[in-house]
Amino acid sequence: MLAVLFTAYQMVRRYWRNAVGIEMPLATAPPEMRRLAAAVLIVMGLGTAVQFILSWQHRHEVIQVQVVNANTGQLTLYQVQRGSIDGRYFRTIDGREMRMADVERMIILPAETND
């Protein structure tokens, strides 16, 4: 996002330089334009922060995972963080690393809500 903002700033600066023949520094921009630019930056920064926080919460949400052995029907229940599941591998919240066999199936149960 910062790269996009920097690129846009450089493009506008180049346009000002070519159109006017002089470089127009940001300090001489109209106050409304500076306020609008600051508001856009603040909204983008807040949006990025909210997205980061929600993504972090989602990855660290504790969920229940059932592992079912297709041959025997044995069912084992584990608690894991959602972000620790990677294909046929996951890590439980108490630190055990589990790799499922070919005959085992994983069932990810919906997160419990405390409403």
Side-chain angles (χ1 to χ4, degrees):
M1 181 174 10
L2 291 175
V4 171
L5 289 173
F6 180 75
T7 303
Y9 172 74
Q10 292 298 326
M11 290 174 62
V12 169
R13 191 171 150 202
R14 185 175 301 139
Y15 171 76
W16 282 337
R17 194 178 307 148
N18 291 337
V20 179
I22 59 170
E23 185 172 344
M24 182 178 167
L26 189 58
T28 61
E32 299 83 20
M33 185 72 106
R34 289 195 323 226
R35 279 190 227 115
L36 179 63
V40 167
L41 288 175
I42 289 170
V43 168
M44 291 177 74
L46 288 174
T48 301
V50 167
Q51 176 62 32
F52 177 77
I53 290 168
L54 292 176
S55 175
W56 184 88
Q57 284 178 338
H58 183 75
R59 283 191 319 268
H60 289 84
E61 179 181 26
V62 176
I63 59 172
Q64 303 268 332
V65 171
Q66 288 180 345
V67 176
V68 180
N69 186 317
N71 291 339
T72 64
Q74 179 184 4
L75 182 87
T76 310
L77 187 64
Y78 298 100
Q79 286 188 330
V80 301
Q81 289 181 337
R82 190 178 297 273
S84 71
I85 299 173
D86 184 24
R88 301 188 66 78
Y89 164 84
F90 61 90
R91 179 178 300 188
T92 64
I93 59 172
D94 59 355
R96 293 181 287 168
E97 296 182 0
M98 310 300 274
R99 186 171 307 274
M100 296 184 348
D102 288 337
V103 297
E104 294 177 321
R105 302 293 175 250
M106 179 188 307
I107 301 171
I108 299 174
L109 301 175
E112 296 178 10
T113 58
N114 296 329
D115 292 334

